[in-house]
Amino acid sequence: MGADTTIASGPRYSDRVVDDGYQLGVGDRVRVTVYREENLSGEFPVGPAGTISVPLIGAVPVTEQTADAVAEAIRTRLADGYLKDPRVNVELVTLRPYYILGEVGQPGRYEFATGLTAMNAIATAGGFTPRSEKRVLYIREAGAAGEQAYRLSADLRIWPGDTLRIGERLF
């Protein structure tokens, strides 16, 4: 850790639940259920354009929206000349992965799980190497331009799309 590194604190240390206000992004997968309309229901990946492709109505923008907001957008479009009083539910099936690199046993892409902490992510990636800096973790949030240094602790939360970097210890 360099002398000019600022250690962040804040929302990453809270215990909020991922589904509470979670905003969809590229790489997520959702299940759309339209009551009594099996042909319109199914699982859809959020594509590179930030949309899902729903039968009958086509591309629906979903990035930076909650599942409830997407359900309302689909309901509105279906009610506009396609179905009378449609009932739509959208639920998260798979969240976008997180990535870990640097001084861990097996850097790479890993499936996100609700409640994931930095220590869980490091353990999943094979633990620290002998050269690992074990006090600071660098995190680049999905869509962010740069990374932020965080003090590594048991309650440091990881979110879908995050890229974690374990630095090398200076002797």
Side-chain angles (χ1 to χ4, degrees):
M1 181 170 85
D4 62 343
T5 302
T6 303
I7 303 294
S9 62
R12 285 199 175 269
Y13 291 92
S14 71
D15 54 1
R16 27 181 196 142
V17 178
V18 146
D19 295 42
D20 185 23
Y22 176 73
Q23 294 184 342
L24 296 169
V26 175
D28 289 335
R29 187 172 190 82
V30 296
R31 178 178 299 116
V32 175
T33 306
V34 182
Y35 181 67
R36 291 190 156 177
E37 296 292 336
E38 291 79 23
N39 294 338
L40 301 177
S41 301
E43 288 188 13
F44 305 96
V46 179
T51 62
I52 60 173
S53 183
V54 179
L56 204 59
I57 60 173
V60 177
V62 299
T63 54
E64 298 183 5
Q65 294 187 52
T66 64
D68 288 343
V70 172
E72 181 58 26
I74 293 170
R75 190 201 68 71
T76 300
R77 286 177 64 178
L78 287 172
D80 189 24
Y82 295 106
L83 298 175
K84 183 178 177 181
D85 192 28
R87 294 186 204 154
V88 179
N89 183 51
V90 174
E91 60 185 308
L92 296 165
V93 175
T94 307
L95 303 174
R96 54 192 174 269
Y98 69 95
Y99 304 86
I100 186 164
L101 50 100
E103 295 297 323
V104 291
Q106 299 170 342
R109 174 182 187 228
Y110 291 91
E111 185 176 317
F112 182 83
T114 302
L116 184 68
T117 66
M119 297 303 272
N120 299 135
I122 292 166
T124 301
F128 293 111
T129 68
R131 295 183 306 272
S132 297
E133 166 57 66
K134 296 178 178 130
R135 295 173 295 175
V136 176
L137 174 66
Y138 299 92
I139 301 174
R140 184 176 61 83
E141 295 179 12
E147 59 185 20
Q148 178 69 50
Y150 290 89
R151 187 171 318 284
L152 190 55
S153 69
D155 57 350
L156 179 60
R157 299 297 293 263
I158 305 303
W159 301 103
D162 282 352
T163 299
L164 290 60
R165 182 176 62 84
I166 304 295
E168 187 173 1
R169 175 180 55 187
L170 301 176
F171 292 91

